[in-house]
Amino acid sequence: SYLGRLNLSFIEGRYLLTATFRADGTSKFVKSNRWAYFPSAALAWRMEQEDFIRENTPWIDQLKFRLGYGQTGNQSIDPYNSFYNYKKTIDYADANGNKELALAVSNLQNPELKWESTKQYDLGLDFGFLKNQRIRGSLGFYKKTTKGLLYPFTMALSTGMESTSVNFANIENKGVEFDISATIIQNKDWNWSFGFNIGKNKNKIT
């Protein structure tokens, strides 16, 4: 694997940029599909640092808008699953009644097998209000798409094979998440706080 990362901060930390690029290789796939590349980037705007908010709404401690995109990969198959696998089996008996051992294919080769990849988009807002962020939380939207889902496909017994690994399907997830917490009482004797979160997700096989 190779990984590079860039972090930038602009205008006294009001704007933040993070970018990464990752290259991963595995010998589980044939040579032509061995490497995959996964970029990501995130941008944040710390709006509470802007003069028009800092001067007019001093009760806002944090108000950060964020936007992100990322791509990851998965290669969670058993080693050599994209190649022919063989197993020992008992073949017919010879004229003297001795059983012969033979080799049989147990896994069908799939030279087209490649990395499973997932892309995700995120849009969110983090907030904190009142002194020392007595009320804080976040609201986020996301969309995640997985392509080329790795799947052990069971073969029909008539083929003489047991299974083969394939890039079977695409999956889409999208939803929204919200959480909020608050410190109601905070003094030297005791604290009282609460938290709440809720989310909705829609999953679809495409």
Side-chain angles (χ1 to χ4, degrees), residues 156-176:
L157 294 177
S158 58
T159 65
M161 313 289 181
E162 293 182 356
S163 65
T164 184
S165 295
V166 296
N167 295 105
F168 184 67
N170 300 332
I171 297 178
E172 181 183 272
N173 281 280
K174 56 184 178 181
V176 57

Side-chain angles (χ1 to χ4, degrees), residues 18-203:
T18 300
T20 62
F21 185 81
R22 180 172 182 142
D24 290 322
T26 177
S27 58
K28 292 182 178 181
F29 305 125
V30 298
K31 190 174 182 179
S32 59
N33 294 331
R34 193 155 291 175
W35 286 90
Y37 306 95
F38 307 108
S40 66
L43 179 66
W45 176 24
R46 299 178 62 190
M47 291 182 282
E48 79 276 2
Q49 300 294 327
E50 299 289 352
D51 292 338
F52 67 89
I53 291 183
R54 188 164 46 188
E55 295 173 0
N56 298 316
T57 53
W59 49 273
I60 296 180
D61 298 319
Q62 182 189 33
L63 192 62
K64 182 170 71 174
F65 173 80
R66 47 185 169 80
L67 177 67
Y69 164 82
Q71 187 173 350
T72 59
N74 176 33
Q75 40 91 28
S76 58
I77 60 172
D78 292 334
Y80 312 112
N81 257 22
S82 57
F83 306 94
Y84 283 121
N85 291 333
Y86 297 87
K87 66 177 180 179
K88 289 191 297 183
T89 183
I90 297 177
D91 204 359
Y92 60 89
D94 61 15
N96 298 319
N98 298 318
K99 293 181 178 180
E100 300 290 340
L101 289 178
L103 290 178
V105 176
S106 61
N107 183 80
L108 186 64
Q109 184 183 27
N110 182 5
E112 302 299 322
L113 196 65
K114 59 184 180 180
W115 283 78
E116 172 187 314
S117 65
T118 300
K119 297 180 181 179
Q120 181 164 336
Y121 299 88
D122 292 282
L123 178 67
L125 182 68
D126 301 325
F127 56 86
F129 304 139
L130 304 181
K131 188 176 181 180
N132 298 321
Q133 298 190 39
R134 297 288 291 269
I135 301 175
R136 54 203 173 274
S138 65
L139 174 66
F141 302 88
Y142 63 88
K143 180 181 179 181
K144 181 167 65 173
T145 303
T146 299
K147 292 187 176 181
L149 184 71
L150 290 170
Y151 184 79
F153 188 78
T154 302
M155 305 289 289
L157 294 177
S158 58
T159 65
M161 313 289 181
E162 293 182 356
S163 65
T164 184
S165 295
V166 296
N167 295 105
F168 184 67
N170 300 332
I171 297 178
E172 181 183 272
N173 281 280
K174 56 184 178 181
V176 57
E177 296 175 334
F178 174 75
D179 69 86
I180 188 170
S181 60
T183 302
I184 301 173
I185 298 177
Q186 185 177 34
N187 55 44
K188 64 179 181 179
D189 296 321
W190 65 294
N191 297 331
W192 178 24
S193 62
F194 83 97
F196 170 82
N197 66 80
I198 190 171
K200 181 180 180 181
N201 178 73
K202 184 178 180 180
N203 178 279

Side-chain angles (χ1 to χ4, degrees), residues 6-19 42-47 49-50:
L6 176 67
N7 293 316
L8 296 176
S9 177
F10 303 95
I11 312 178
E12 300 178 348
R14 296 177 188 174
Y15 305 95
L16 307 173
L17 173 66
T18 300
L43 179 66
W45 176 24
R46 299 178 62 190
M47 291 182 282
Q49 300 294 327
E50 299 289 352

